[in-house]
Amino acid sequence: MAIAQEHVGRTYPPTEPYEVTAVKVAEFAAALGDPDPRYAGPDAVAPPTFAAVLAATAWQALFEDPELDLALRRVVHGDQRFDFHRLLRVGDRVTATLTIDKVRVRGAADIIGASIAIRTLDDEPVATAVATFFHSREAAA
Amino acid sequence: MSAAAVPADVAVGTELPPLTVRLTRTDLVRYAGASGDLNPIHHSEHFAAAVGLPGVVAHGLLTMGTALRVVTDWVGDPERVRSYAVRFTKPVVVPDDGVGAEVVVTASVVALEGTLATVALEVVAGGQKVLGAARAQVELGG
């Protein structure tokens, strides 16, 4: 079995709740080399691309789904989009839910579009992360 | 930190103050830890070569996140960013020479609808454009 058109629309269960902490936000901002004071302290907001931390957890569902037969080592991240209702902030408790939006098979290459909805545990939408991945199928033996 | 942009001064064609950053291997390790992306192509020469890369490369999302500073520094408030999209066109190769890779970000306003500005970013490393179709939408007003 390999990923195919029939998997479009598949949605995985939300990730385990994730709590945004001041330490993690400061660590992420430092990793971006960004000294903006909005990213420091107990009332900090997270840098916009912090949403990728949640997305990365949600992507695991895709790459670990045995039915799709994807290998992470043969995956290239083609593009990435984020839409923000608001930024994540310290104290938020959120989950990320992945949906397969698009599958195209071109010979040994799969083109996969997936979107991830990040919501608070109170179901407030926070951000959406949309990505395209290029996956090379293992050459037939 | 630059002052917040004054909407009346902003028009299609307005150029943002450019940003030059340097990414070293230490920065890649720091981002790997902060983001949880431990793919060894971002720290191991051996694994990078095994998948045909010219060397250890920066995380695409590190380049993406770093480049957005050109926008958030300009508007003075990251909460004004409404959307941000890029294509990963070329990897940023980060040599283990203590100097790293220089990434140059320039940007200009390409559309303005009311107080919502669309900014196009040009992100260049090693003389090559590393992000394609990079666009951020940012709210300038109130």
Side-chain angles (χ1 to χ4, degrees):
Chain A
M1 188 74 198
I3 193 165
Q5 194 66 39
E6 71 190 71
H7 297 115
V8 170
R10 176 172 290 192
T11 295
Y12 294 87
T15 57
E16 289 296 308
Y18 178 96
E19 182 164 351
V20 180
T21 64
V23 169
K24 192 70 193 178
V25 168
E27 183 188 353
F28 193 88
L32 293 180
D34 195 331
D36 192 320
R38 298 295 313 274
Y39 303 142
D43 301 319
V45 295
T49 60
F50 188 92
V53 174
L54 280 305
T57 308
W59 288 328
Q60 283 177 21
L62 188 67
F63 300 126
E64 290 170 1
D65 183 341
E67 218 182 286
L68 308 184
D69 196 24
L70 302 174
L72 186 56
R73 69 180 186 283
R74 296 196 305 270
V75 170
V76 174
H77 198 168
D79 61 40
Q80 181 65 54
R81 177 183 177 91
F82 295 105
D83 290 288
F84 305 102
H85 296 286
R86 65 168 175 82
L87 294 186
L88 288 159
R89 51 184 177 247
V90 171
D92 276 337
R93 298 187 71 219
V94 293
T95 62
T97 304
L98 184 142
T99 302
I100 300 174
D101 295 326
K102 180 180 77 179
V103 175
R104 280 196 220 132
V105 180
R106 296 271 181 280
D110 303 307
I111 303 165
I112 304 154
S115 60
I116 291 161
I118 300 171
R119 294 188 195 90
T120 67
L121 298 189
D122 299 329
D123 214 27
E124 177 197 358
V126 177
T128 307
V130 184
T132 305
F133 297 103
F134 298 94
H135 174 258
S136 318
R137 293 189 181 189
E138 203 106 66
Chain B
M1 212 62 52
S2 56
V6 178
D9 293 347
V10 177
V12 171
T14 295
E15 291 186 13
L16 282 58
L19 174 75
T20 299
V21 294
R22 196 166 276 288
L23 297 177
T24 65
R25 288 289 176 90
T26 304
D27 294 319
L28 269 47
V29 171
R30 189 177 282 127
Y31 186 80
S35 69
D37 182 347
L38 301 176
N39 188 330
I41 62 170
H42 306 304
H43 58 258
S44 162
E45 218 73 61
H46 166 74
F47 278 96
V51 296
L53 289 165
V56 165
V57 299
H59 306 69
L61 280 158
L62 169 57
T63 308
M64 182 182 187
T66 299
L68 187 62
R69 283 181 54 203
V70 85
V71 176
T72 53
D73 284 358
W74 178 61
V75 297
D77 183 354
E79 292 197 82
R80 293 180 178 233
V81 177
R82 293 287 171 269
S83 70
Y84 182 33
V86 308
R87 273 208 312 265
F88 301 110
T89 51
K90 289 267 193 272
V92 177
V93 179
V94 179
D96 184 20
D97 58 1
V99 179
E102 191 177 78
V103 179
V104 180
V105 187
T106 55
S108 63
V109 176
V110 291
L112 199 54
E113 288 172 48
T115 54
L116 186 70
T118 303
V119 174
L121 294 83
E122 286 271 321
V123 184
V124 173
Q128 287 193 305
K129 203 167 139 177
V130 294
L131 298 181
R135 296 275 187 284
Q137 285 187 307
V138 60
E139 179 61 52
L140 301 175

